Amino acid sequence: MSIERELNKRSGSKCELCAATENLKVYEVLPTKKGGLDESIMACSTCIDQIETPGNEDLNHWRCLNDSMWSEHTAVQVVSWRMLSRLRSAGWPQELIDQMYFDEDTLAWAQATGEGEEDENKVIHRDSNGVILEVGDSVVLIKDLKVKGSSMVAKQGTAVRNIRLDHENAEFIEGKVDGQTIVIITQYVKKL
């Protein structure tokens, strides 16, 4: 059965965040490890647009998180936590965050995009042109790179999709090249 059908069945053909029934799509919660049902949610276009466009949030729309944060599905909880963290300056979202509990792995997944960090504490990753890189972006290598610890050479022009960020060092990202996950220095990539 397709992921879309499984999510429709799981969600009752409703957005798992706001319960809307129109314009539903599969939304993959980045960064993913295996992909699939456990790392995706069914969401409406309104929620997806506001998730993907920080600063464009309708605060009243997100009151729905009061319910969705208690979902039995981890991916829904993670997105709820991220949106509450983004909106916490309004007051009520912080109260809801304080009620949530995650194990270490789930909290790491929720924090992987940098939501919830104060702007001055956020590590910002930039490509060779100074463009800000985000989790899940695609980049292209701008020079041949020898991979330490192997005989592999990642060739210039190789596209690396669905990158992950090192949240302690702004110079490092991770991505798969030829099926192998490698660490790449940001000065050698350009965002696609």
Side-chain angles (χ1 to χ4, degrees):
M1 192 178 285
S2 76
I3 290 176
E4 185 171 7
R5 268 194 299 218
E6 287 284 338
L7 285 173
N8 268 320
K9 183 177 174 186
R10 177 176 96 184
S11 68
S13 297
K14 294 180 181 175
C15 174
E16 292 184 274
L17 299 170
C18 73
T21 56
E22 306 268 325
N23 302 316
L24 300 177
K25 295 185 222 170
V26 174
Y27 180 74
E28 193 172 51
V29 183
L30 298 175
T32 59
K33 291 183 180 173
K34 299 175 282 186
L37 188 63
D38 292 336
E39 296 179 351
S40 300
I41 66 171
M42 184 59 70
C44 68
S45 58
T46 301
C47 286
I48 292 172
D49 289 344
Q50 292 185 40
I51 289 167
E52 293 181 342
T53 314
N56 190 35
E57 301 87 3
D58 173 4
L59 194 59
N60 285 327
H61 176 81
W62 292 107
R63 296 236 179 226
C64 61
L65 297 176
N66 191 35
D67 295 326
S68 61
M69 67 186 249
W70 301 111
S71 171
E72 65 187 273
H73 306 289
T74 306
V76 178
Q77 295 171 12
V78 165
V79 174
S80 297
W81 185 91
R82 288 177 182 174
M83 290 309 298
L84 288 168
S85 294
R86 188 184 298 174
L87 302 169
R88 72 172 174 251
S89 63
W92 63 265
Q94 184 61 54
E95 293 173 18
L96 295 179
I97 291 169
D98 292 343
Q99 296 175 34
M100 296 181 85
Y101 172 79
F102 289 149
D103 60 43
E104 283 184 31
D105 291 341
T106 304
L107 183 59
W109 184 22
Q111 293 174 332
T113 59
E115 291 294 350
E117 291 182 24
E118 299 296 329
D119 287 340
E120 64 268 8
N121 296 335
K122 230 181 223 185
V123 176
I124 298 175
H125 295 74
R126 297 182 185 271
D127 73 0
S128 60
N129 294 326
V131 176
I132 294 176
L133 299 171
E134 302 285 345
V135 172
D137 282 346
S138 295
V139 296
V140 66
L141 302 179
I142 60 170
K143 75 177 261 182
D144 288 355
L145 300 174
K146 178 158 178 27
V147 178
K148 285 186 178 179
S150 79
S151 60
M152 181 177 142
V153 174
K155 297 287 186 187
Q156 177 180 350
T158 300
V160 181
R161 305 198 187 296
N162 196 15
I163 64 167
R164 289 180 295 207
L165 308 177
D166 181 329
H167 290 289
E168 295 175 9
N169 191 329
E171 293 183 16
F172 298 139
I173 60 173
E174 290 182 359
K176 286 193 177 200
V177 175
D178 296 334
Q180 181 178 348
T181 300
I182 63 171
V183 175
I184 305 167
I185 298 173
T186 55
Q187 70 186 21
Y188 301 125
V189 300
K190 182 172 70 172
K191 185 174 177 177
L192 289 177

